[in-house]
Amino acid sequence: MKTLGCLLIIVGVCGLLTGCFQPIVYLQNNPNYPVDVFYDNQKPDRSFEPIRELESIGEVPLTDRQTQNRRMLSRGNDMQQKELLLARMTMDAKKLGADALVGVRYTYFTSQTTNGYRMTGLAVKYRKEYAVE
């Protein structure tokens, strides 16, 4: 009986550990954007000239997995949606001739039927650096 109790505890602990940890693909991916990306708390190590502030705003309907019995189970956009938004913004920056997006910020809101988002960033061009001889 004691062995059965220990076995149940071990199985329970393993179940908790594997149930709480689910490997997520985006943690292993390093997205390759057409320009460098620096979030709000980061700065490039090169000087730059601002080109233009970029902004993406929109709403996405809630998915079935986010609601059940008219109750919200999870909020916000998933990581793939965020990466898609950022990819679009980096392509817009590249079209403007930018080398990087700095001060990138992402915010979201949730209503009864949608997830809304706003992503902003400043498209910049790196200054040419000349070697000192």
Side-chain angles (χ1 to χ4, degrees):
M1 190 68 170
K2 191 173 188 179
T3 305
L4 180 61
C6 288
L7 182 61
L8 287 175
I9 290 172
I10 291 171
V11 169
V13 168
C14 289
L16 283 174
L17 292 176
T18 58
C20 293
F21 179 77
Q22 298 174 355
I24 300 174
V25 175
Y26 66 81
L27 292 177
Q28 299 167 0
N29 286 345
N30 257 345
N32 188 12
Y33 298 117
V35 298
D36 296 333
V37 176
F38 297 92
Y39 294 94
D40 197 31
N41 59 346
Q42 302 170 322
K43 295 285 182 207
D45 56 357
R46 299 173 61 180
S47 57
F48 56 84
E49 294 287 329
I51 297 176
R52 189 169 90 194
E53 186 76 28
L54 298 178
E55 179 178 61
S56 179
I57 300 172
E59 292 183 3
V60 179
L62 293 176
T63 62
D64 290 337
R65 71 171 180 77
Q66 289 180 294
T67 59
Q68 189 175 48
N69 296 329
R70 296 177 19 185
R71 293 181 59 183
M72 185 176 298
L73 301 177
S74 67
R75 301 165 37 130
N77 300 310
D78 64 27
M79 197 62 197
Q80 288 177 334
Q81 291 168 324
K82 291 176 191 175
E83 286 181 3
L84 182 59
L85 293 169
L86 186 56
R88 287 182 189 149
M89 189 174 284
T90 59
M91 287 188 286
D92 291 344
K94 188 67 174 177
K95 288 177 190 174
L96 293 172
D99 296 313
L101 269 175
V102 298
V104 173
R105 295 182 113 184
Y106 173 81
T107 55
Y108 76 92
F109 66 88
T110 304
S111 72
Q112 189 173 6
T113 58
T114 61
N115 285 315
Y117 60 85
R118 179 175 186 240
M119 185 174 278
T120 59
L122 179 64
V124 301
K125 183 84 175 163
Y126 292 135
R127 289 185 183 148
K128 298 246 187 276
E129 296 182 6
Y130 300 100
V132 178
E133 294 181 20

